[in-house]
Amino acid sequence: QSVLHAADLSNVTKCWSIHVQWSHAVMAEFFCQGDLEMHLHGKVSEHCVRDEKGARSAQKRFIKACVLPLYDKLGQVVPELEALTKNAVLQMESNFDHWESLGY
């Protein structure tokens, strides 16, 4: 189940050019959800507020708080995945640094 979850969250482990495309697609989906929430009941979930700078900063939090620890632990628990998860963690760190270099 954890491997499936890691695969579902793997966009942050891709090279920057792919990761950023997925990030924008996810932001667009969240913004649409927020628009619908606003229309239906006037309240918007925090991650669905139309705020591109905030959404891009959230990518850094998502990497550091959610996905990176999952991949770290997965590599420890499933030794066959250790090399794969180490490479994924390196790419996540690179993507995190790229977001920071852009000012997010």
Side-chain angles (χ1 to χ4, degrees):
Q1 201 170 25
S2 292
V3 173
L4 182 61
H5 192 56
D8 187 41
L9 302 175
S10 68
N11 77 33
V12 297
T13 71
K14 307 298 184 206
C15 67
W16 175 257
S17 62
I18 294 171
H19 164 65
V20 75
Q21 288 178 38
W22 274 103
S23 296
H24 289 148
V26 168
M27 283 191 296
E29 181 180 340
F30 285 169
F31 291 164
C32 286
Q33 178 180 330
D35 293 346
L36 182 60
E37 289 174 352
M38 180 60 80
H39 176 74
L40 292 176
H41 43 79
K43 286 184 169 183
V44 179
S45 303
E46 182 181 341
H47 65 283
C48 296
V49 174
R50 278 193 180 273
D51 172 14
E52 288 189 24
K53 183 172 173 94
R56 290 180 176 140
S57 294
Q59 282 296 310
K60 288 182 359 188
R61 291 189 304 275
F62 181 62
I63 289 169
K64 287 289 186 185
C66 298
V67 188
L68 202 141
L70 173 64
Y71 273 75
D72 267 343
K73 191 59 73 179
L74 194 57
Q76 294 169 15
V77 173
V78 184
E80 298 85 0
L81 297 178
E82 185 177 10
L84 181 68
T85 58
K86 280 185 178 182
N87 286 336
V89 166
L90 289 173
Q91 185 59 55
M92 280 187 262
E93 290 170 343
S94 174
N95 290 339
F96 181 93
D97 292 345
H98 201 133
W99 284 116
E100 283 210 324
S101 75
L102 295 173
Y104 297 107

